[in-house]
Amino acid sequence: MKNIITIQHTQSIHHTNGMVGSWTDWDLSELGIQQANNIGKNLSNQISDKKFVMYSSDLLRAKHTAEIVGKYLNVAPIFATELRERNLGKCVGKSVQWLKDNMEVREKYIDDKMFSDAESRRDEWNRLLPFFNELMTNKYENIIVVSHGDLLSVFNTMWLGMDIEMLNRSEIFGLAGGVSFMHETTDGKRIIKRMSDMSYIK
């Protein structure tokens, strides 16, 4: 049985300066650092009786969130490129306004790409899937995953056993700093017990 906690990285500088996140290495804002500390404190009060392994995106805003939270849980994050946010290609390093003004394709379906050199949702799914399958079959029962909004939306869909085509019709998005709790029952049913709980950042 798996007990998985996902954490969407806390407020990043790109949330406040109008820049694209994606594969840029924006760090956390001062508020984001405080939010990550609060998540660590609140989680340590709740799960201190269990040993967790933590995986995190290696992009700075997620990495920093994981390092801060891990300090409270006495666990060192394992960094994985598979947990990176979706790569938006040529608009990486540009502003959100530039993205809007220069978007090549307005995404509607999972194979659409905003820019010719960007990842589609299917590309993102295929990047994550081997990692997800390994996560579900490895020896660890209690797992924390620290990542990004778009990537965790794909993760949530996988967790519930949905087909990739579901992303054409639905989304399971969280919020920056949201903490979700997932549990696998003895008969293999996967449950999201709490989704993007924002109380942990306070």
Side-chain angles (χ1 to χ4, degrees), residues 114-125:
M114 289 188 206
F115 299 96
S116 58
D117 59 346
E119 284 186 314
S120 66
R121 301 302 297 284
R122 188 186 297 276
D123 293 332
E124 185 180 30
W125 177 286

Side-chain angles (χ1 to χ4, degrees), residues 119-166:
E119 284 186 314
S120 66
R121 301 302 297 284
R122 188 186 297 276
D123 293 332
E124 185 180 30
W125 177 286
N126 289 338
R127 167 163 57 90
L128 177 61
L129 185 58
F131 180 89
F132 179 85
N133 288 337
E134 194 280 330
L135 205 68
M136 295 307 299
T137 56
N138 69 22
K139 64 182 180 180
Y140 301 112
E141 181 175 326
N142 301 309
I143 299 168
I144 297 172
V145 174
V146 183
S147 189
H148 311 261
D150 200 272
L151 190 286
L152 287 176
S153 177
V154 172
F155 186 97
N156 294 337
T157 305
M158 288 182 179
W159 171 259
L160 291 175
M162 296 179 180
D163 187 87
I164 186 175
E165 302 297 328
M166 286 296 294

Side-chain angles (χ1 to χ4, degrees), residues 43 71 82 93 135 150 166 172 197:
L43 275 180
K71 176 182 63 176
E82 296 91 338
L135 205 68
D150 200 272
M166 286 296 294
I172 312 173
D197 190 333

Side-chain angles (χ1 to χ4, degrees), residues 56-183:
S56 171
S57 160
D58 65 337
L59 292 174
L60 186 55
R61 55 197 185 274
K63 180 180 180 181
H64 200 176
T65 300
E67 288 172 339
I68 292 170
V69 173
K71 176 182 63 176
Y72 290 92
L73 302 177
N74 196 30
V75 57
I78 300 167
F79 301 109
T81 57
E82 296 91 338
L83 291 173
R84 285 186 173 194
E85 183 59 292
R86 185 153 57 110
N87 184 0
L88 297 182
K90 64 185 69 174
C91 82
V92 172
K94 304 289 200 309
S95 69
V96 173
Q97 189 59 53
W98 187 95
L99 182 156
K100 292 176 180 177
D101 293 340
N102 294 275
M103 189 184 303
E104 296 169 9
V105 174
R106 188 165 296 281
E107 292 181 333
K108 186 176 181 182
Y109 301 111
I110 57 174
D111 290 307
D112 295 336
K113 298 181 179 184
M114 289 188 206
F115 299 96
S116 58
D117 59 346
E119 284 186 314
S120 66
R121 301 302 297 284
R122 188 186 297 276
D123 293 332
E124 185 180 30
W125 177 286
N126 289 338
R127 167 163 57 90
L128 177 61
L129 185 58
F131 180 89
F132 179 85
N133 288 337
E134 194 280 330
L135 205 68
M136 295 307 299
T137 56
N138 69 22
K139 64 182 180 180
Y140 301 112
E141 181 175 326
N142 301 309
I143 299 168
I144 297 172
V145 174
V146 183
S147 189
H148 311 261
D150 200 272
L151 190 286
L152 287 176
S153 177
V154 172
F155 186 97
N156 294 337
T157 305
M158 288 182 179
W159 171 259
L160 291 175
M162 296 179 180
D163 187 87
I164 186 175
E165 302 297 328
M166 286 296 294
L167 289 171
N168 284 326
R169 304 186 295 278
S170 62
E171 289 283 357
I172 312 173
F173 267 116
L175 298 169
V179 181
S180 300
F181 295 82
M182 305 175 181
H183 174 68

